[in-house]
Amino acid sequence: MALLSTIRGATWGRLVTRHFSHAARRGERPGGEELSRLLLDDLVPTSRLELLFGLSPCLLALRAARRSVARLLLQAGKAGLQGERAELLRMAEARDIPVLRPRRQKLDTMCRYQVHQGVCMEVSPLRPQPWSEAGEASPGDDPQQLWLVLEGIQDPRNFGAVLRSAHFLGVDKVITSRRNSCPLTPVVSKASAGAMEVMDVFSTDDLTGFLQTKAQQGWLVAGTVGCPRAKDPQSSEIPITSCLEFPWDRPTLLVLGNEGSGLSQEVQASCQLLLTILPRRQLPPGLESLNVSVAAGILLHSICSQWKGFPTEGERRQLLQDPQEPSARSEGLSVAQHPGLSSGSEKERQNES
């Protein structure tokens, strides 16, 4: 029965792809009425694959080509597919990926009612790459390197939001602790607006040893804490500095801790400096800290704004006046290259669903 279902799914996929190819040769718009009539409700989940959902995650995953893709699932019922959905179809056809058109209710069930925007893919999982010092450049090669180190981030939406900010602001590498950390799941990818699909994320079993090694190589290991409190025994021997007063003058590891407990004592003891975000008012108990993804964005921006390539005031005005002008865009942050990594384009995509 499983074999029969697999064959039937593959046959339907080839049929849909064939119809798309014929339509393209006739000069018709990809995903027109002919394709929308090909509905498939008998979708059998494939073992050892996961369901990636959302327009930007699926599009960036296809562009990055780091995953094996079994099937592309596009919501049926629309008169035609335009823009990035049509691009998904073109890329799937070029790679001989079966394209299926289930109804919205089926996609809702398959995605457990996540916001899928009518686009899903059955893909192989992504895993963090094991960290290795082999081949690493010395810190002296670039004094303004910034790596983000995450200890025990467990909420997938927090993790995804942190990755999105890190990618947007130009973080060079992301290192996670293998123990007690969220894996690279489809929920993480969706929360990152697909940034997870194009970033290199590494993991290590010995985060403390990793930090100590980097410190010996000349890196500054900067941990993070909430609002400093008097008589805090864990941080009394490590200087605490406001992120607004931190001078970024050498390669730096920014270390963020668990959503609830922060940095472990072992990791915090390996830090040479602790950065904090100071509030502008007296805070009652329980509100002394920020969500980890919000804190990550503030801390990364306060550091990266010191980058020698960060837009000047004049360049920022030009970006606001003509955001599509190539000369006015920061390298590596082109919306055309990485759709969905800007808030405006994501709102448009959500309105399309």
Side-chain angles (χ1 to χ4, degrees), residues 275-287:
L275 297 182
T276 190
I277 302 169
L278 297 177
R280 295 187 60 186
R281 57 163 50 96
Q282 287 292 114
L283 297 175
L287 293 179

Side-chain angles (χ1 to χ4, degrees), residues 209-272:
F210 166 79
L211 296 176
Q212 292 173 351
T213 298
K214 285 299 174 186
Q216 293 170 2
Q217 294 174 354
W219 290 72
L220 174 65
V221 181
T224 52
V225 292
C227 300
R229 291 175 289 185
K231 300 180 181 180
D232 188 342
Q234 292 187 12
S235 60
S236 58
E237 297 180 0
I238 304 175
I240 300 177
T241 301
S242 166
C243 63
L244 299 177
E245 299 174 357
F246 170 69
W248 185 27
D249 53 10
R250 61 168 165 156
T252 299
L253 302 176
L254 179 65
V255 190
L256 297 176
N258 174 269
E259 293 95 334
S261 57
L263 297 177
S264 66
Q265 294 187 29
E266 296 80 7
V267 166
Q268 185 167 306
S270 301
C271 297
Q272 301 152 294

Side-chain angles (χ1 to χ4, degrees), residues 56-71:
S56 290
C58 292
L59 186 57
L60 288 171
L62 276 180
R63 286 178 175 175
R66 300 197 299 179
R67 297 179 185 259
S68 298
V69 181
R71 299 188 290 191

Side-chain angles (χ1 to χ4, degrees), residues 65-100:
R66 300 197 299 179
R67 297 179 185 259
S68 298
V69 181
R71 299 188 290 191
L72 171 63
L73 312 176
L74 292 173
Q75 179 182 325
K78 296 180 182 292
L81 299 175
Q82 302 179 11
E84 290 167 351
R85 287 174 173 81
E87 182 182 350
L88 277 168
L89 279 171
R90 286 191 290 269
M91 288 193 291
E93 190 270 342
R95 292 169 55 177
D96 294 323
I97 298 170
V99 181
L100 311 179

Side-chain angles (χ1 to χ4, degrees), residues 147-151 153 171 173-177 204 207 210-211 221-222 224 252-257 263 267:
W147 294 8
L148 182 62
V149 181
L150 306 175
E151 184 194 18
I153 302 296
V171 167
K173 283 184 174 63
V174 176
I175 316 290
T176 68
S177 58
T204 177
L207 193 58
F210 166 79
L211 296 176
V221 181
T224 52
T252 299
L253 302 176
L254 179 65
V255 190
L256 297 176
L263 297 177
V267 166

